[in-house]
Amino acid sequence: MRSAAWHARVECGKEVGAGFLVSARRVLTCAHVVRWSEDAPVTVTFPGGRELGGLSATVLVHGGWRGGATDPGDLAVLELEREVSLAPAVFAPPGAERSAPAPELIAYGFPKGYDEGMLALYRAVPGPLISDEWVQLEALTGHGQPLAAGFSGAAVALSDGTVVGMVSAVAGARDVRAGRMLPLEVMARYWPELGELVPTPGHRADARRRLYALVRRAEAAGLTIDPDRLYVSAVDAFAPPPPEGGFASLREAAAFVQWEVSQTDAVARFADRLAERLDAPPARPATWSPIVVEIDRSGAGTDQVTVEVSAYRDGQRRPVGSRRLAQSAVRSFVQEQIDEAFTQLDPGAEELLTFVLPREWLNKPVARWECGEDDSTPLGCAHPLVVTDRHRHRSGRLRHQLRKKWRKLQVSTGGTLHRVDCGTRERPAGLRVRLRDDAELAGFAAPPDTAREHFEVGLTVPVPVLLWPRTGCPGDGHDGPCPGSAFLDELAVSVAGVPPSELPRLVMELRLAADASDDPDGHWARDVQLLWDDPRCFAETPALLHSPVG
């Protein structure tokens, strides 16, 4: 049996419970034990370290418990006023309490009248977790100490002293010898740092220690990393998807890999991906070499348009081809001319297909156009592809304002998505104020024709990036969940932490993921349209399209 000096008594207002030391200054207990901590002091004593006296503590982490007996998240991490010299608790592998035959489990609590503590002997009931949260405990005998008030927050340990969980619910009646505990894997949901302390079957201890050392290094450096993208890059197709809404932090993603991914090398691979990001040189903003497809009404008839294709190299615009065409002939001409435009780019250039379109064409599915007669790959899956509004592209006033905005964005690590939801009650004038000064990117729940007034505000203020679904939400009055709102929810997660200069590449990756999914038509990103406009990529003033009509 290991030393038990790490068992703690926790007092807060009217509540008395238990806890256990997990580091020199941190104690784990139940959130309900310290429910009065905003108004009453929290005092921690160690029966095995009486010389320390009573130590004041503060609530460092709260698991989210809301006050009900069956509410999840009944966990709190306390920080002591100073470090103590006691050896902390040691943890058993997750699930050890439910091995066969069922092992004896010992809880050290502080029922009324026993400030020095009492022991209770229990075992875990085999079977699934109750409500995916608790392991049910039952007494080994009918005459032992019940899990009464004062045991909440107590460590539940095996006979060798290693901890398998924490008592969270005690019996309400004296003769009831049952209770519940939070197992280690559930506790780690609410405090991901626990993962660093717990041995996990299937994952090597050295890999786990390396992983959390890298996480601490990333946190100390303030490194901006998208934990969802890092996770996807480190696991294979059989791994569980990230939780709904994504990971809240890098540490949460690391804990998810440790606890939820069964592949034996997953922890090592995640650590390798993180190390690559930490050791990589600082990312430089993308320097794009645009291939510009500019389309305008020709003036020769309602069906006639003028198409001009050009490429940029060394900051100079190089015309490739121009023609007046019927609208039905535009796609094949553009395919041919884009292919030719690539010959004008520097061999190492980062191409960016830019469609400069009349306002009524902004929702055209240009990203879905095929690369050519012999290549059915959508252009938006083969290359970064964006659109922009022709008036916006040629307005000296807006170009000046956008240049100033992009200079500020050079140091941006990703801004907040300004949502324009379906059926918004916000007046266009109010939206103009919201977007004008600080907005880096705006997302619309509906296509331009459905939210015309609000969309035109986005085009006429210097917002560098606009995104919307080409199809989906029909506007006000539809029944059921709004697909546009779901689109914005997914989009907000995807663009978080991505610099605006990198969004064309990100959107290409989203289109690729949608195209490769089991249900491409149902994927939220299949029809994402990106209006992205950085005047610095177009060194010359855009040349006026000449009309062949005299």
Side-chain angles (χ1 to χ4, degrees), residues 4-8 17-19 46-48 50 106-111 114-120 147 150-157 167:
W6 43 264
H7 290 291
F46 295 93
R50 291 182 180 276
I106 304 163
Y108 191 140
F110 301 88
Y114 294 92
D115 289 354
E116 73 283 5
M118 287 285 285
L119 297 177
L147 290 179
F151 275 86
S152 293
V156 180
V167 176

Side-chain angles (χ1 to χ4, degrees), residues 322-519:
S322 177
R323 189 174 300 175
R324 189 185 72 202
L325 299 162
Q327 292 189 28
S328 59
V330 169
R331 184 185 306 193
S332 59
F333 178 73
V334 167
Q335 291 166 338
E336 175 187 323
Q337 295 303 305
I338 285 178
D339 201 56
E340 176 63 26
F342 272 94
T343 66
Q344 301 295 319
L345 298 183
D346 184 88
E350 296 280 355
E351 76 277 4
L352 177 66
L353 303 190
T354 305
F355 280 76
V356 182
L357 303 172
R359 194 156 296 181
E360 65 270 20
W361 275 49
L362 282 176
N363 207 44
K364 290 284 187 184
V366 291
R368 301 298 309 169
W369 288 1
E370 297 177 348
C371 287
E373 290 184 3
D374 300 321
D375 185 351
S376 63
T377 306
L379 281 170
C381 293
H383 312 284
L385 184 151
V386 302
V387 301
T388 192
D389 175 59
R390 209 171 126 64
H391 167 75
R392 180 183 172 109
H393 194 66
R394 294 177 58 182
S395 167
R397 176 182 62 85
L398 283 171
R399 308 315 281 167
H400 174 73
Q401 292 175 318
L402 283 165
R403 284 190 188 93
K404 291 195 297 182
K405 182 66 71 72
W406 277 101
R407 279 198 292 270
K408 292 180 181 179
L409 298 184
Q410 285 179 340
V411 295
S412 174
T413 57
T416 301
L417 179 71
H418 287 254
R419 298 173 62 120
V420 183
D421 280 287
C422 166
T424 178
R425 295 182 179 275
E426 185 176 24
R427 295 175 56 242
L431 179 62
R432 183 176 293 109
V433 172
R434 177 157 67 98
L435 297 182
R436 181 174 182 83
D437 295 326
D438 299 322
E440 297 180 10
L441 59 159
F444 293 82
D449 287 345
T450 305
R452 184 177 298 278
E453 290 186 354
H454 292 85
F455 192 80
E456 288 188 356
V457 168
L459 292 176
T460 54
V461 296
V463 182
V465 180
L466 306 179
L467 298 112
W468 67 91
R470 284 196 317 98
T471 59
C473 178
D476 289 344
H478 58 75
D479 296 326
C482 175
S485 294
F487 169 85
L488 291 180
D489 291 343
E490 295 282 1
L491 184 64
V493 173
S494 296
V495 302
V498 180
S501 61
E502 291 292 334
L503 285 174
R505 186 174 288 110
L506 170 69
V507 170
M508 180 185 71
E509 293 173 359
L510 292 175
R511 289 168 176 153
L512 278 167
D515 214 44
S517 70
D518 293 336
D519 180 20

Side-chain angles (χ1 to χ4, degrees), residues 527-547:
D527 286 320
V528 60
Q529 196 84 317
L530 169 63
L531 188 149
W532 183 95
D533 203 358
D534 183 355
R536 300 171 304 170
C537 291
F538 309 95
E540 296 178 315
T541 301
L544 297 178
L545 283 176
H546 62 277
S547 172

